[in-house]
Amino acid sequence: MSPVRCSGPVTRREALRAGALALGGVTLPQLLAARADGRAPDTAVILFWMWGGPSHYETFDPKPDAPEEIRGPFRPTRTPVPGTQVCELFPQLARLADRFALVRSLRHESSVHNDSSIEVLTGKPVPRPDPTSTALSEHPDFGMIAAALRRGSAPGVPGYVGIPKVPFMVRPAYLGVAAHGFATGDPAAPGFRPAALSPAAGLDRGRLSTRHDLVGELDGLRRRAGDTPGGLGEMRGRALDLLTSPAVAAAFDLGREAPRTRDRYGRHLWGQSCLLARRLVEAGTAVVTIDALAPKLSDRYFSWDDHINPQTKWDLADAMRCRAPFMD
């Protein structure tokens, strides 16, 4: 048998091309081999999912030399990285430009929000365009794949979490319902605690384990009789872990953070979502998706889907001035 030679480190561009967010491109043998390996890398992804897609000109790719009708109303701001400018609305991000990477080469062929969202999240285009924006994915997204690969990396802690919810157009498909993300609800709400972590009224936590054991025995009887319960048993096990795990309770408890820290993140949906996301990845969650509609759910500019429309009085420049300070 000839020895297997290592090709050496790949370039940064090759790594981005192979990985990026398109983890949906892994093959079934790769997925099964990774799961069988059982090792969980000490890595995590926090995706700040900006619904509708913010304008590049008004964020990270200003065109100061373009004609006035193209370049937009805001000036660019210098950063510590030579040749890199960002919009003037992001002074704090501009100062941190040497700490992050801008990938300007991502593209797709779709003109429909749902279709393009599915392609970014799963790595696979939809087979047929859906102009109604009601399409659902036929493949799991990268968070669901990570949750399947990272099972057991942190007992009780969900592998995939959506704050306040998981993008609605993606589903676990052939990975099974157990790979679906855990939705938290609004972490900026007073007395925040995910509803799924609170047992129903009158249900004693101390009796949960006994009930779970009984359900396991019944599932065993069903399997021996030829009736397969699918992923429901695994879901019940995870639900029990969520309800009884001290690590889960601690990760979701924003009250453990100093008031000064919570203020620094911002007492709004985006700020508290980012703070919760940080706590979750520290506890072992592999992927957290922050559903960044508006910094406050009651805001007039409720998404990044900016269209200048006199009838709705939606104005791109005004919308950017409202949202940019929260994001910055």
Side-chain angles (χ1 to χ4, degrees):
M1 228 180 129
S2 60
V4 178
R5 303 184 66 84
C6 175
S7 60
V10 297
T11 67
R12 177 170 157 173
R13 178 171 293 275
E14 288 171 330
L16 288 170
R17 185 183 296 121
L21 293 182
L23 297 184
V26 299
T27 65
L28 182 59
Q30 290 171 323
L31 182 65
L32 295 175
R35 181 183 294 179
D37 186 37
R39 292 178 297 175
D42 186 20
T43 56
V45 171
I46 298 174
L47 174 62
F48 194 76
W49 185 245
M50 302 164 77
W51 272 104
S55 163
H56 293 193
Y57 297 164
E58 277 69 49
T59 51
F60 299 106
D61 196 12
K63 306 288 188 186
D65 298 325
E68 183 177 356
E69 64 271 17
I70 293 178
R71 66 174 181 259
F74 302 111
R75 299 187 305 272
T77 293
R78 283 186 172 185
T79 72
V81 180
T84 298
Q85 297 177 316
V86 300
C87 177
E88 64 178 318
L89 298 177
F90 302 103
Q92 296 188 82
L93 281 168
R95 288 196 292 270
L96 295 174
D98 58 340
R99 303 285 296 276
F100 58 78
L102 293 176
V103 180
R104 305 184 191 275
S105 55
L106 183 66
R107 61 184 297 272
H108 57 76
E109 302 293 337
S110 173
S111 61
V112 181
H113 283 308
N114 270 28
D115 291 358
S116 52
S117 296
I118 288 171
E119 184 168 356
V120 170
L121 291 169
T122 68
K124 298 180 182 296
V126 297
R128 294 167 299 281
D130 182 6
T132 66
S133 284
T134 59
L136 298 176
S137 67
E138 296 184 2
H139 301 279
D141 73 358
F142 79 106
M144 296 166 184
I145 293 174
L149 294 177
R150 298 276 287 267
R151 288 175 186 171
S153 61
V157 178
Y160 180 26
V161 176
I163 309 174
K165 61 183 185 295
V166 178
F168 71 89
M169 78 290 295
V170 292
R171 51 187 175 175
Y174 40 79
L175 287 184
V177 291
H180 201 282
F182 176 85
T184 68
D186 182 1
F192 163 72
R193 178 178 175 82
L197 298 186
S198 301
L203 182 60
D204 177 43
R205 286 176 180 270
R207 299 174 61 191
L208 286 174
S209 179
T210 302
R211 296 185 183 197
H212 180 261
D213 292 342
L214 176 60
V215 169
E217 292 180 19
L218 292 174
D219 281 348
L221 290 173
R222 291 178 62 185
R223 281 192 295 271
R224 288 192 290 274
D227 182 14
T228 303
L232 294 179
E234 183 175 359
M235 286 188 68
R236 279 192 285 263
R238 292 191 181 191
L240 179 68
D241 290 341
L242 283 169
L243 285 168
T244 58
S245 168
V248 171
F252 280 98
D253 187 0
L254 293 180
R256 293 175 178 243
E257 294 286 345
R260 182 178 177 183
T261 300
R262 298 193 67 177
D263 292 342
R264 186 181 179 192
Y265 273 79
R267 299 277 185 160
H268 47 78
L269 176 61
W270 291 355
Q272 297 305 291
S273 294
C274 289
L275 177 57
L276 178 59
R278 191 211 79 201
R279 293 183 61 84
L280 288 168
V281 299
E282 288 174 345
T285 297
V287 175
V288 180
T289 300
I290 297 174
D291 188 357
L293 277 169
K296 298 180 180 178
L297 294 179
S298 60
D299 283 358
R300 172 184 170 191
Y301 297 111
F302 54 84
S303 79
W304 294 88
D305 188 11
D306 291 325
H307 299 275
I308 298 177
N309 189 331
Q311 293 181 336
T312 61
K313 295 181 170 49
W314 189 297
D315 180 79
L316 183 148
D318 187 45
M320 287 300 301
R321 291 190 190 97
C322 290
R323 294 173 307 214
F326 292 96
M327 180 180 165
D328 195 40

